[in-house]
Amino acid sequence: MITTQEITQIREQVRAWHAKGETVAFVPTMGNLHLGHITLIKEAVKRADHVVASIFVNPMQFGQNEDLDAYPKTLVADQLALTDAGAELLFTPTPKIIYPKGMEQQTYVEVPKIGDELCGVSRPGHFRGVATIVCKLFNIVQPDVALFGKKDFQQLLIIKTMVEDLSMPIEIIGVETIREESGLAMSSRNGYLNQSQKVRAATLKQVMDTMSAEIQSGQAIVDVIAKALAKLIEAGFKPDYLEVRSSTDLSPVSAEQQALVIVAAAYMGTTRLIDNLCFER
Ligand code: PAF
């Protein structure tokens, strides 16, 4: 696998592949890779002739009270895992390469409505940072296909919306969440949890499973959410939000809507975890 910080090298390589009629899949990451990321790369290998990955801890998507500098950097281990999984090209730009004029003077992308809710409320500016960097990376890499984990469900829908709204010729594929045996969704943030917190954090998936069963059996959504919040608090969580929404656009649930998603964000200690569960009513 070739690792480069050079935008021109990425462009030349992808152009050469495209000139031969070969397709390119792209997996953007912030590094500190776990099995969830590696599953994205393996899925990308199945979807295209070549796989490009990126590692960039994007300062624009971090809030002022979120510790950007503490984000774990594990480049050598990440390179080995990416090579093993089948990536051929890795883009590792610096903030100076991505935001040469600084972030204040950077043109940005904002996806309205869907980007303003849920995590958009708790993390103001976060989705602007995500949409802007993903748009920039798409323009640099010019992939045919890009893959994102369904664990970041709101992010996935925002990127799909951006691609559609801005007529980008890229297929966006959502890949199923990879979980620990306990049910805890894999996330770089799990590394901040101690053993006891990790055990208690697994309650989130159990609570969502119960919610989905109760809603499917006809129980009122407000009652189901109230019971679930109590269980999360009992397990030591400090819930940020726990809601049931339409899984197509995250709009509030109407009586006739069948495709639903439970979306959750909750603090275990100081670590903010998110998860979701899609189901049919
Ligand atoms: O999901 C992530 O790791 C990041 O939000 C992404 C998509 C790589 C953009 O920085």
Side-chain angles (χ1 to χ4, degrees), residues 18-76:
H18 278 155
K20 288 194 272 178
E22 295 166 353
T23 53
V24 174
F26 177 47
V27 179
T29 80
M30 299 207 298
N32 189 28
L33 304 183
H34 52 69
L35 198 57
H37 297 108
I38 297 311
T39 306
L40 293 179
I41 300 287
K42 289 190 174 159
E43 191 57 40
V45 169
K46 293 187 210 150
R47 303 275 184 159
D49 298 312
H50 303 281
V51 176
V52 180
S54 63
I55 294 179
F56 178 61
V57 184
N58 175 33
M60 202 192 263
Q61 70 188 73
F62 283 77
Q64 275 180 350
N65 53 351
E66 297 173 350
D67 203 353
L68 168 67
D69 295 331
Y71 199 88
K73 294 181 184 64
T74 52
L75 181 62
V76 174

Side-chain angles (χ1 to χ4, degrees), residues 28-30 37 56 58 61 71 126 130 133-134 137 148 152 155 159:
T29 80
M30 299 207 298
H37 297 108
F56 178 61
N58 175 33
Q61 70 188 73
Y71 199 88
H126 170 67
V130 170
I133 188 59
V134 172
L137 291 169
F148 295 85
D152 296 306
Q155 168 174 285
I159 290 163

Side-chain angles (χ1 to χ4, degrees), residues 11-278:
R11 286 221 168 104
E12 275 163 24
Q13 180 58 80
V14 172
R15 204 177 294 132
W17 284 329
H18 278 155
K20 288 194 272 178
E22 295 166 353
T23 53
V24 174
F26 177 47
V27 179
T29 80
M30 299 207 298
N32 189 28
L33 304 183
H34 52 69
L35 198 57
H37 297 108
I38 297 311
T39 306
L40 293 179
I41 300 287
K42 289 190 174 159
E43 191 57 40
V45 169
K46 293 187 210 150
R47 303 275 184 159
D49 298 312
H50 303 281
V51 176
V52 180
S54 63
I55 294 179
F56 178 61
V57 184
N58 175 33
M60 202 192 263
Q61 70 188 73
F62 283 77
Q64 275 180 350
N65 53 351
E66 297 173 350
D67 203 353
L68 168 67
D69 295 331
Y71 199 88
K73 294 181 184 64
T74 52
L75 181 62
V76 174
D78 292 350
Q79 283 171 313
L80 286 173
L82 289 168
T83 308
D84 232 37
E88 286 173 71
L89 190 55
L90 173 63
F91 183 43
T92 54
T94 60
K96 190 88 191 132
I97 290 170
I98 293 292
Y99 304 118
K101 293 177 289 184
M103 287 194 293
E104 269 62 55
Q105 288 185 62
Q106 171 66 43
T107 302
Y108 58 79
V109 179
E110 212 158 55
V111 178
K113 204 157 179 279
I114 191 168
D116 299 332
E117 305 191 21
L118 303 170
C119 285
V121 175
S122 323
R123 303 183 70 190
H126 170 67
F127 287 125
R128 174 197 288 186
V130 170
T132 302
I133 188 59
V134 172
C135 177
K136 275 187 78 100
L137 291 169
F138 281 177
N139 284 332
I140 292 165
V141 177
Q142 309 224 337
D144 303 285
V145 180
L147 296 92
F148 295 85
K150 283 192 189 170
K151 177 178 161 281
D152 296 306
F153 194 74
Q154 190 175 9
Q155 168 174 285
L156 174 64
L157 291 191
I158 286 170
I159 290 163
K160 280 187 173 168
T161 307
M162 174 186 79
V163 162
E164 199 183 318
D165 289 356
L166 300 181
S167 309
M168 296 174 165
I170 302 169
E171 184 189 356
I172 303 299
I173 294 164
V175 176
E176 288 307 325
T177 303
I178 303 297
R179 297 181 181 279
E180 310 264 359
E181 226 171 282
S182 65
L184 178 63
M186 289 207 183
S187 162
S188 302
R189 292 189 175 191
N190 294 354
Y192 300 132
L193 301 173
N194 63 33
Q195 200 44 41
S196 141
Q197 289 174 325
K198 226 173 164 188
V199 170
R200 284 179 288 136
T203 316
L204 184 51
K205 173 66 165 53
Q206 294 156 17
V207 164
M208 292 193 304
D209 283 337
T210 306
M211 288 176 76
S212 126
E214 288 176 348
I215 293 166
Q216 287 176 72
S217 76
Q219 292 190 37
I221 289 178
V222 273
D223 299 340
V224 169
I225 291 176
K227 280 187 283 179
L229 281 171
K231 275 191 229 154
L232 286 181
I233 291 165
E234 197 187 323
F237 272 112
K238 189 163 156 274
D240 178 359
Y241 62 76
L242 178 65
E243 297 200 23
V244 182
R245 299 278 183 112
S246 150
S247 61
T248 44
D249 58 5
L250 290 181
S251 59
V253 181
S254 62
E256 63 280 0
Q257 224 137 32
Q258 297 301 313
L260 304 182
V261 61
I262 298 163
V263 279
Y267 288 89
M268 179 52 80
T270 52
T271 307
R272 187 173 181 276
L273 300 174
I274 58 169
D275 204 346
N276 65 82
L277 183 69
C278 291

